[in-house]
Amino acid sequence: DTTKKTFPNTNQLTVNHYAPGEGIGSHVDTPSAFGDGLLSLSLNSGIVMEFREVGGVRQKKHVYLPPRSLVAMTGPARYQWEHMI
């Protein structure tokens, strides 16, 4: 049940500012870098985050992140799907 997920060991905060037309390239997170659990806060404007399945049929999903939204990513979303903004 994802509604009961918590991030008790969160130990890092990264703040990125993207100018219009900028973003972060497609990548899969490294499990050993910071442990599981990633929070991303969108402040000023909305943006589309793209997810592409690694291997298999290579599904693609687009998720709109509206202004002032908070995204919590864990497990397969970080390690089995490439993601980019």
Side-chain angles (χ1 to χ4, degrees):
D1 182 9
T2 58
T3 59
K4 295 181 182 179
K5 283 266 186 200
T6 61
F7 300 94
N9 300 316
T10 302
N11 64 3
Q12 177 183 347
L13 170 67
T14 301
V15 177
N16 296 319
H17 177 267
Y18 300 114
E22 292 182 339
I24 186 168
S26 182
H27 66 281
V28 174
D29 292 334
T30 303
S32 61
F34 304 107
D36 199 15
L38 175 126
L39 302 175
S40 177
L41 179 63
S42 175
L43 295 174
N44 196 36
S45 62
I47 192 76
V48 173
M49 188 169 198
E50 181 179 307
F51 291 84
R52 287 184 289 185
E53 187 178 24
V54 175
V57 294
R58 305 270 307 163
Q59 296 182 70
K60 186 186 290 188
K61 307 281 183 182
H62 293 103
V63 178
Y64 177 68
L65 309 177
R68 297 173 303 283
S69 62
L70 178 66
V71 175
M73 290 174 47
T74 185
R78 294 189 63 200
Y79 308 122
Q80 296 173 12
W81 291 76
E82 293 178 1
H83 43 278
M84 65 181 285
I85 292 177

